[in-house]
Amino acid sequence: MSESKLAGQFFDAAIGLLERVRDEESGRINEAGTVIAEAVAAGNKLFAFGAGHSSLPAQDVVYRAGGLALMNFLAVPGTAGIDVMPATLGSALERVDGLAGAVLDSSPASDGDVLVIISLSGRNALPVEMAMNARAIGLKVIGVTSVAYATGTKSRHVSGTFLKDHCDIVLDSKIAVGDAELTHEGIEAPFAPASTVVTSAIMQAVMAAAAGELVARGVEPPLLRSGNVDGGHEWNGRVMQEYGDRIFFRH
């Protein structure tokens, strides 16, 4: 079997995007880590939200070996992946006005907490209203999005604004409009999306920055260990007991 040039081209494209994000977003990533560390040290809560495939990087930092135990997934029913039938329903729900407010009102999120909102396009009603409503009740909002969509597409929210317009910190994933890195003769549509790779890396970079900031403040980061290493379950049990009032995925 011959080596696929397309596979190598995708790796090159993804690596190029990761290097660009590292070089251009490092200051804001460190700022986001500081905001999260401040919330942990102050006794506040942490949440991450994303709809559709943007839920994957959010889920990647929740109940994760090597991750902050305090990061909770803010779930919106029907939007957290492709587990609904038909799968297109999830996309439709992202455009429903009022859904974000209902979710926040019934969640444990409150003044002083931090919410990371992930939306590649940032143009749909759900992430826009999630950010607007979160800030209205006193949450710090970190948005992870592709800023290019704000000039390359039109907002689907009545305000005409994008997620980036309602965040305390915006982390730009640098993903091009359409989220497809490759084209090839004989293939009609562009293909090979890299947003999940890049956005997941951004999220883990923020968590790393937060851990470093906590140590600098004299606070041991409440990290989880793998349950597949000796002593991992015991370690995690102690962390969850100490921080149980701010961990919601364990109930």
Side-chain angles (χ1 to χ4, degrees):
M1 183 179 295
S2 62
E3 181 180 350
S4 172
K5 291 183 179 180
L6 291 174
Q9 288 173 11
F10 174 74
F11 278 115
D12 290 341
I15 291 168
L17 284 163
L18 289 169
E19 289 178 337
R20 186 179 170 199
V21 168
R22 179 198 61 196
D23 295 341
E24 298 177 14
E25 297 297 305
S26 61
R28 284 177 287 273
I29 287 171
N30 286 325
E31 184 181 355
T34 297
V35 166
I36 288 174
E38 288 174 346
V40 172
N44 294 115
K45 302 178 290 293
L46 307 175
F47 300 91
F49 163 76
H53 285 95
S54 288
S55 74
L56 298 177
Q59 294 181 55
D60 192 48
V61 294
V62 176
Y63 188 49
R64 181 66 192 258
L68 286 175
L70 274 61
M71 186 60 72
N72 300 280
F73 184 64
L74 186 64
V76 177
T79 70
I82 54 172
D83 58 339
V84 292
M85 296 294 288
T88 51
L89 174 60
S91 297
L93 289 172
E94 290 186 58
R95 306 177 192 181
V96 174
D97 295 331
L99 186 56
V103 168
L104 278 171
D105 288 345
S106 61
S107 79
S110 59
D111 183 33
D113 295 343
V114 176
L115 173 60
V116 183
I117 300 176
I118 303 169
S119 174
L120 177 61
S121 72
R123 68 190 296 229
N124 289 312
L126 185 54
V128 172
E129 291 186 355
M130 188 70 76
M132 294 173 70
N133 282 279
R135 292 181 88 186
I137 62 174
L139 273 71
K140 285 287 186 72
V141 175
I142 300 167
V144 186
T145 188
S146 170
V147 173
Y149 276 81
T151 55
T153 67
K154 292 182 179 179
S155 171
R156 289 183 174 139
H157 188 252
V158 64
S159 67
T161 60
F162 288 76
L163 169 62
K164 73 174 187 64
D165 300 315
H166 305 283
C167 299
D168 296 286
I169 302 171
V170 176
L171 305 178
D172 185 3
S173 64
K174 316 295 182 180
I175 300 295
V177 174
D179 191 18
E181 293 300 317
L182 302 182
T183 58
H184 189 68
E185 184 178 355
I187 302 177
E188 293 298 322
F191 57 100
S195 61
T196 304
V197 173
V198 175
T199 306
S200 293
I202 290 173
M203 291 298 290
Q204 294 297 344
V206 171
M207 297 302 107
E213 180 63 24
L214 282 166
V215 170
R217 292 167 179 258
V219 178
E220 181 181 353
L223 298 169
L224 295 174
R225 289 188 173 184
S226 172
N228 294 313
V229 299
D230 293 342
H233 286 297
E234 292 77 12
W235 173 280
N236 293 342
R238 290 193 297 271
V239 172
M240 289 192 181
Q241 183 175 15
E242 181 176 354
Y243 293 93
D245 60 332
R246 291 187 271 169
I247 300 173
F248 305 101
F249 53 79
R250 69 186 192 131
H251 297 307

